[in-house]
Amino acid sequence: MLDELYERAEKDGVALRIGTIIDRGGEVLLLERDDSGPIKATLKLPGTTVEPGEPLDAAVTRAVATETGLLVTRIRCHVGSFDYLSPVGKPVRRLHFAVDVAATYPIRLSVHRAYTWAPLDSELRVTPSIRRILEDYRKIAEARTPLSETSS
């Protein structure tokens, strides 16, 4: 599947970016930029730009390690994607993957000011595109949770 996503992006002439969803019992890891302006910036998922020729699984692992210090143990699924134009007008496709990590701590931020574990069912301060990706992820996660785990 990863090869197919990569080939489709090349065919479509878009640059690739990665976004990752790290779930800790119904909470997702969101990062906060170091913005000093009066308007609070939106939170973001850990991610990166895919380097030319870089395999997608390597980009996913690198994104999580670089931005959070966490170690990806498995890419669970491709959640979804969206296309947009970069600030300089180039087409970009952002692919989002749910991943498992060896441990959800300690988090070591490299370029972000702070992080939060946000419940999926809360009002998240994210862009509309990321909100749709997280909603799709929540549906996938609910479909995979056995009924016995959701009943208490």
Side-chain angles (χ1 to χ4, degrees):
M1 174 201 54
L2 297 178
D3 290 340
E4 181 182 317
L5 291 169
Y6 199 93
E7 289 167 9
R8 190 175 319 142
E10 283 185 333
K11 180 181 174 193
D12 293 345
V14 296
L16 283 177
R17 287 196 50 84
I18 296 291
T20 59
I21 300 169
I22 302 168
D23 186 335
R24 182 184 74 175
E27 296 178 318
V28 293
L29 180 63
L30 296 172
L31 306 177
E32 187 173 332
R33 294 185 189 112
D34 190 11
D35 291 332
S36 58
I39 298 174
K40 199 122 169 113
T42 58
L43 300 172
K44 68 178 275 308
L45 294 167
T48 192
T49 299
V50 179
E51 299 297 331
E54 181 179 27
L56 292 180
D57 57 342
V60 167
T61 300
R62 179 174 57 81
V64 172
T66 301
E67 293 204 338
T68 69
L70 301 176
L71 174 66
V72 171
T73 57
R74 179 172 70 120
I75 298 173
R76 281 189 281 139
C77 65
H78 173 239
V79 175
S81 61
F82 56 83
D83 292 356
Y84 63 96
L85 292 176
S86 73
V88 295
K90 302 229 180 214
V92 177
R93 178 163 300 147
R94 188 167 168 102
L95 305 172
H96 294 85
F97 298 93
V99 301
D100 291 333
V101 292
T104 56
Y105 63 90
I107 293 177
R108 292 181 301 278
L109 299 175
S110 60
V111 296
H112 294 88
R113 184 176 72 80
Y115 69 90
T116 187
W117 288 100
L120 276 168
D121 59 359
S122 66
E123 186 61 36
L124 302 174
R125 188 170 37 94
V126 295
T127 65
S129 298
I130 296 298
R131 185 171 288 115
R132 281 190 301 275
I133 292 292
L134 290 173
E135 182 62 28
D136 289 346
Y137 172 72
R138 189 174 63 79
K139 290 174 186 171
I140 291 168
E142 287 174 354
R144 290 185 177 184
T145 302
L147 188 55
S148 61
E149 288 182 24
T150 60
S151 311
S152 337

Tab-separated table of all heavy atoms in Angstrom, residues 18-60:
chain	number	residue	atom	x	y	z
A	18	ILE	N	4.024	13.851	5.532
A	18	ILE	CA	3.500	12.795	6.384
A	18	ILE	C	2.903	13.431	7.631
A	18	ILE	O	3.482	14.363	8.199
A	18	ILE	CB	4.651	11.845	6.820
A	18	ILE	CG1	5.252	11.124	5.626
A	18	ILE	CG2	4.194	10.874	7.902
A	18	ILE	CD1	4.358	10.115	4.989
A	19	GLY	N	1.785	12.900	8.074
A	19	GLY	CA	1.225	13.227	9.375
A	19	GLY	C	0.992	11.912	10.101
A	19	GLY	O	0.606	10.918	9.477
A	20	THR	N	1.256	11.878	11.408
A	20	THR	CA	1.106	10.634	12.157
A	20	THR	C	0.137	10.813	13.315
A	20	THR	O	0.102	11.868	13.960
A	20	THR	CB	2.457	10.140	12.703
A	20	THR	OG1	3.011	11.132	13.555
A	20	THR	CG2	3.417	9.827	11.570
A	21	ILE	N	-0.629	9.782	13.561
A	21	ILE	CA	-1.564	9.758	14.670
A	21	ILE	C	-1.040	8.766	15.689
A	21	ILE	O	-0.911	7.573	15.402
A	21	ILE	CB	-2.979	9.375	14.199
A	21	ILE	CG1	-3.469	10.385	13.167
A	21	ILE	CG2	-3.931	9.273	15.396
A	21	ILE	CD1	-4.730	9.967	12.448
A	22	ILE	N	-0.716	9.285	16.868
A	22	ILE	CA	-0.255	8.465	17.978
A	22	ILE	C	-1.369	8.502	19.014
A	22	ILE	O	-1.701	9.569	19.538
A	22	ILE	CB	1.073	8.996	18.559
A	22	ILE	CG1	2.145	9.032	17.461
A	22	ILE	CG2	1.515	8.146	19.749
A	22	ILE	CD1	3.396	9.800	17.841
A	23	ASP	N	-1.966	7.354	19.270
A	23	ASP	CA	-3.126	7.233	20.143
A	23	ASP	C	-2.711	6.620	21.474
A	23	ASP	O	-2.055	5.584	21.504
A	23	ASP	CB	-4.165	6.350	19.441
A	23	ASP	CG	-5.490	6.264	20.173
A	23	ASP	OD1	-5.540	6.453	21.397
A	23	ASP	OD2	-6.493	5.972	19.490
A	24	ARG	N	-3.109	7.267	22.538
A	24	ARG	CA	-2.859	6.751	23.885
A	24	ARG	C	-4.219	6.608	24.567
A	24	ARG	O	-4.695	7.510	25.249
A	24	ARG	CB	-1.964	7.717	24.651
A	24	ARG	CG	-1.590	7.253	26.060
A	24	ARG	CD	-0.792	8.275	26.789
A	24	ARG	NE	-1.675	9.375	27.207
A	24	ARG	CZ	-1.295	10.390	27.962
A	24	ARG	NH1	-0.037	10.495	28.350
A	24	ARG	NH2	-2.140	11.336	28.309
A	25	GLY	N	-4.869	5.464	24.323
A	25	GLY	CA	-6.152	5.197	24.966
A	25	GLY	C	-7.243	6.190	24.651
A	25	GLY	O	-7.985	6.600	25.544
A	26	GLY	N	-7.365	6.590	23.404
A	26	GLY	CA	-8.408	7.538	23.004
A	26	GLY	C	-7.980	8.991	22.997
A	26	GLY	O	-8.768	9.878	22.668
A	27	GLU	N	-6.733	9.240	23.357
A	27	GLU	CA	-6.171	10.584	23.270
A	27	GLU	C	-5.093	10.571	22.196
A	27	GLU	O	-4.336	9.607	22.105
A	27	GLU	CB	-5.528	10.999	24.587
A	27	GLU	CG	-6.489	11.110	25.747
A	27	GLU	CD	-5.766	11.470	27.030
A	27	GLU	OE1	-4.671	10.924	27.289
A	27	GLU	OE2	-6.303	12.300	27.768
A	28	VAL	N	-5.032	11.639	21.411
A	28	VAL	CA	-4.011	11.732	20.368
A	28	VAL	C	-2.995	12.802	20.727
A	28	VAL	O	-3.320	13.805	21.369
A	28	VAL	CB	-4.619	12.007	18.975
A	28	VAL	CG1	-5.434	10.827	18.496
A	28	VAL	CG2	-5.433	13.271	18.962
A	29	LEU	N	-1.775	12.560	20.296
A	29	LEU	CA	-0.686	13.493	20.548
A	29	LEU	C	-0.739	14.636	19.542
A	29	LEU	O	-0.703	14.405	18.337
A	29	LEU	CB	0.659	12.769	20.449
A	29	LEU	CG	1.895	13.632	20.687
A	29	LEU	CD1	1.908	14.200	22.106
A	29	LEU	CD2	3.154	12.822	20.418
A	30	LEU	N	-0.833	15.860	20.054
A	30	LEU	CA	-0.833	17.054	19.220
A	30	LEU	C	0.295	17.966	19.675
A	30	LEU	O	0.582	18.070	20.871
A	30	LEU	CB	-2.170	17.789	19.321
A	30	LEU	CG	-3.386	17.019	18.788
A	30	LEU	CD1	-4.676	17.759	19.127
A	30	LEU	CD2	-3.267	16.785	17.294
A	31	LEU	N	0.926	18.612	18.715
A	31	LEU	CA	2.071	19.480	18.978
A	31	LEU	C	1.688	20.937	18.799
A	31	LEU	O	0.873	21.276	17.945
A	31	LEU	CB	3.213	19.119	18.029
A	31	LEU	CG	3.646	17.651	18.033
A	31	LEU	CD1	4.729	17.417	16.990
A	31	LEU	CD2	4.085	17.211	19.413
A	32	GLU	N	2.309	21.790	19.604
A	32	GLU	CA	2.048	23.227	19.550
A	32	GLU	C	3.287	23.951	19.057
A	32	GLU	O	4.378	23.774	19.593
A	32	GLU	CB	1.672	23.733	20.945
A	32	GLU	CG	1.230	25.165	20.958
A	32	GLU	CD	0.707	25.575	22.331
A	32	GLU	OE1	0.212	24.724	23.084
A	32	GLU	OE2	0.823	26.782	22.633
A	33	ARG	N	3.099	24.757	18.027
A	33	ARG	CA	4.218	25.534	17.485
A	33	ARG	C	4.647	26.599	18.464
A	33	ARG	O	3.902	27.004	19.342
A	33	ARG	CB	3.802	26.196	16.174
A	33	ARG	CG	3.529	25.217	15.083
A	33	ARG	CD	3.237	25.959	13.782
A	33	ARG	NE	2.782	25.018	12.792
A	33	ARG	CZ	1.540	24.978	12.310
A	33	ARG	NH1	0.649	25.855	12.695
A	33	ARG	NH2	1.207	24.083	11.426
A	34	ASP	N	5.841	27.109	18.258
A	34	ASP	CA	6.369	28.182	19.087
A	34	ASP	C	5.950	29.516	18.478
A	34	ASP	O	6.740	30.197	17.839
A	34	ASP	CB	7.894	28.071	19.191
A	34	ASP	CG	8.467	29.009	20.226
A	34	ASP	OD1	7.687	29.596	21.004
A	34	ASP	OD2	9.693	29.161	20.267
A	35	ASP	N	4.672	29.860	18.630
A	35	ASP	CA	4.148	31.121	18.098
A	35	ASP	C	4.041	32.139	19.221
A	35	ASP	O	3.529	31.843	20.294
A	35	ASP	CB	2.760	30.909	17.480
A	35	ASP	CG	2.827	30.084	16.210
A	35	ASP	OD1	3.867	30.132	15.535
A	35	ASP	OD2	1.841	29.391	15.895
A	36	SER	N	4.501	33.329	18.957
A	36	SER	CA	4.451	34.370	19.989
A	36	SER	C	3.393	35.425	19.703
A	36	SER	O	3.280	36.390	20.432
A	36	SER	CB	5.828	35.022	20.124
A	36	SER	OG	6.227	35.557	18.884
A	37	GLY	N	2.622	35.244	18.640
A	37	GLY	CA	1.608	36.228	18.279
A	37	GLY	C	0.396	36.172	19.194
A	37	GLY	O	0.262	35.279	20.030
A	38	PRO	N	-0.507	37.126	19.027
A	38	PRO	CA	-1.678	37.203	19.900
A	38	PRO	C	-2.716	36.103	19.630
A	38	PRO	O	-3.517	35.789	20.491
A	38	PRO	CB	-2.254	38.587	19.601
A	38	PRO	CG	-1.793	38.891	18.214
A	38	PRO	CD	-0.461	38.216	18.070
A	39	ILE	N	-2.706	35.531	18.432
A	39	ILE	CA	-3.672	34.486	18.090
A	39	ILE	C	-3.011	33.131	18.281
A	39	ILE	O	-1.930	32.874	17.745
A	39	ILE	CB	-4.172	34.648	16.638
A	39	ILE	CG1	-4.885	35.988	16.491
A	39	ILE	CG2	-5.082	33.497	16.250
A	39	ILE	CD1	-5.288	36.326	15.081
A	40	LYS	N	-3.655	32.283	19.045
A	40	LYS	CA	-3.119	30.959	19.329
A	40	LYS	C	-3.191	30.105	18.056
A	40	LYS	O	-4.257	29.945	17.469
A	40	LYS	CB	-3.933	30.314	20.442
A	40	LYS	CG	-3.241	29.188	21.101
A	40	LYS	CD	-3.137	29.496	22.578
A	40	LYS	CE	-2.700	28.287	23.335
A	40	LYS	NZ	-1.412	28.405	23.899
A	41	ALA	N	-2.061	29.599	17.627
A	41	ALA	CA	-1.998	28.778	16.416
A	41	ALA	C	-2.669	27.424	16.654
A	41	ALA	O	-2.812	26.977	17.790
A	41	ALA	CB	-0.540	28.563	16.010
A	42	THR	N	-3.053	26.796	15.565
A	42	THR	CA	-3.661	25.475	15.685
A	42	THR	C	-2.605	24.451	16.079
A	42	THR	O	-1.412	24.626	15.834
A	42	THR	CB	-4.300	25.045	14.349
A	42	THR	OG1	-3.307	25.056	13.333
A	42	THR	CG2	-5.461	25.942	13.969
A	43	LEU	N	-3.074	23.372	16.677
A	43	LEU	CA	-2.202	22.257	17.025
A	43	LEU	C	-2.001	21.399	15.789
A	43	LEU	O	-2.806	21.420	14.864
A	43	LEU	CB	-2.835	21.446	18.154
A	43	LEU	CG	-3.090	22.229	19.442
A	43	LEU	CD1	-3.898	21.390	20.423
A	43	LEU	CD2	-1.787	22.679	20.070
A	44	LYS	N	-0.931	20.608	15.787
A	44	LYS	CA	-0.654	19.785	14.613
A	44	LYS	C	-0.264	18.380	15.029
A	44	LYS	O	0.126	18.138	16.170
A	44	LYS	CB	0.418	20.420	13.747
A	44	LYS	CG	1.806	20.455	14.385
A	44	LYS	CD	2.854	21.034	13.484
A	44	LYS	CE	3.525	20.165	12.518
A	44	LYS	NZ	4.155	18.967	12.667
A	45	LEU	N	-0.388	17.482	14.089
A	45	LEU	CA	0.083	16.118	14.277
A	45	LEU	C	1.572	16.060	13.982
A	45	LEU	O	2.063	16.829	13.140
A	45	LEU	CB	-0.653	15.175	13.306
A	45	LEU	CG	-2.152	15.016	13.550
A	45	LEU	CD1	-2.804	14.338	12.357
A	45	LEU	CD2	-2.406	14.234	14.824
A	46	PRO	N	2.302	15.165	14.638
A	46	PRO	CA	3.711	14.995	14.270
A	46	PRO	C	3.814	14.657	12.777
A	46	PRO	O	3.011	13.872	12.260
A	46	PRO	CB	4.168	13.810	15.126
A	46	PRO	CG	3.211	13.792	16.273
A	46	PRO	CD	1.905	14.270	15.712
A	47	GLY	N	4.774	15.244	12.098
A	47	GLY	CA	4.901	14.991	10.670
A	47	GLY	C	6.186	15.533	10.099
A	47	GLY	O	6.997	16.131	10.803
A	48	THR	N	6.336	15.331	8.791
A	48	THR	CA	7.545	15.771	8.103
A	48	THR	C	7.311	15.797	6.603
A	48	THR	O	6.315	15.275	6.101
A	48	THR	CB	8.733	14.838	8.432
A	48	THR	OG1	9.943	15.455	7.984
A	48	THR	CG2	8.604	13.478	7.767
A	49	THR	N	8.261	16.350	5.907
A	49	THR	CA	8.302	16.283	4.450
A	49	THR	C	9.035	15.011	4.051
A	49	THR	O	10.069	14.683	4.632
A	49	THR	CB	9.058	17.512	3.890
A	49	THR	OG1	8.355	18.694	4.291
A	49	THR	CG2	9.174	17.466	2.385
A	50	VAL	N	8.507	14.313	3.069
A	50	VAL	CA	9.163	13.113	2.556
A	50	VAL	C	10.290	13.563	1.631
A	50	VAL	O	10.066	14.340	0.702
A	50	VAL	CB	8.166	12.210	1.800
A	50	VAL	CG1	8.857	10.976	1.241
A	50	VAL	CG2	7.005	11.809	2.709
A	51	GLU	N	11.475	13.088	1.917
A	51	GLU	CA	12.633	13.424	1.091
A	51	GLU	C	12.555	12.675	-0.244
A	51	GLU	O	11.994	11.577	-0.310
A	51	GLU	CB	13.929	13.049	1.822
A	51	GLU	CG	14.128	13.771	3.144
A	51	GLU	CD	14.263	15.270	2.995
A	51	GLU	OE1	14.735	15.737	1.950
A	51	GLU	OE2	13.891	15.982	3.945
A	52	PRO	N	13.118	13.234	-1.335
A	52	PRO	CA	13.084	12.540	-2.627
A	52	PRO	C	13.666	11.127	-2.513
A	52	PRO	O	14.756	10.937	-1.971
A	52	PRO	CB	13.955	13.422	-3.528
A	52	PRO	CG	13.875	14.784	-2.903
A	52	PRO	CD	13.783	14.530	-1.417
A	53	GLY	N	12.897	10.145	-2.976
A	53	GLY	CA	13.340	8.754	-2.957
A	53	GLY	C	13.215	8.059	-1.612
A	53	GLY	O	13.486	6.864	-1.500
A	54	GLU	N	12.801	8.779	-0.572
A	54	GLU	CA	12.692	8.184	0.764
A	54	GLU	C	11.445	7.298	0.842
A	54	GLU	O	10.341	7.728	0.510
A	54	GLU	CB	12.597	9.291	1.818
A	54	GLU	CG	12.502	8.788	3.241
A	54	GLU	CD	12.426	9.912	4.260
A	54	GLU	OE1	11.937	11.015	3.910
A	54	GLU	OE2	12.859	9.690	5.403
A	55	PRO	N	11.590	6.072	1.310
A	55	PRO	CA	10.409	5.215	1.496
A	55	PRO	C	9.464	5.832	2.533
A	55	PRO	O	9.913	6.459	3.502
A	55	PRO	CB	10.996	3.890	2.012
A	55	PRO	CG	12.435	3.925	1.608
A	55	PRO	CD	12.838	5.372	1.614
A	56	LEU	N	8.170	5.663	2.332
A	56	LEU	CA	7.199	6.269	3.238
A	56	LEU	C	7.331	5.758	4.666
A	56	LEU	O	7.203	6.527	5.619
A	56	LEU	CB	5.771	6.047	2.730
A	56	LEU	CG	5.399	6.780	1.450
A	56	LEU	CD1	3.962	6.482	1.067
A	56	LEU	CD2	5.623	8.272	1.583
A	57	ASP	N	7.615	4.461	4.841
A	57	ASP	CA	7.761	3.947	6.204
A	57	ASP	C	8.952	4.599	6.911
A	57	ASP	O	8.894	4.883	8.106
A	57	ASP	CB	7.839	2.427	6.243
A	57	ASP	CG	8.967	1.846	5.411
A	57	ASP	OD1	9.520	2.534	4.528
A	57	ASP	OD2	9.294	0.667	5.642
A	58	ALA	N	10.004	4.878	6.172
A	58	ALA	CA	11.160	5.558	6.760
A	58	ALA	C	10.807	6.998	7.139
A	58	ALA	O	11.223	7.501	8.188
A	58	ALA	CB	12.339	5.544	5.796
A	59	ALA	N	10.014	7.665	6.305
A	59	ALA	CA	9.597	9.039	6.599
A	59	ALA	C	8.704	9.084	7.842
A	59	ALA	O	8.839	9.982	8.675
A	59	ALA	CB	8.881	9.649	5.398
A	60	VAL	N	7.815	8.105	7.976
A	60	VAL	CA	6.942	8.038	9.154
A	60	VAL	C	7.785	7.881	10.413
A	60	VAL	O	7.622	8.606	11.396
A	60	VAL	CB	5.923	6.890	9.011
A	60	VAL	CG1	5.226	6.601	10.332
A	60	VAL	CG2	4.910	7.201	7.921
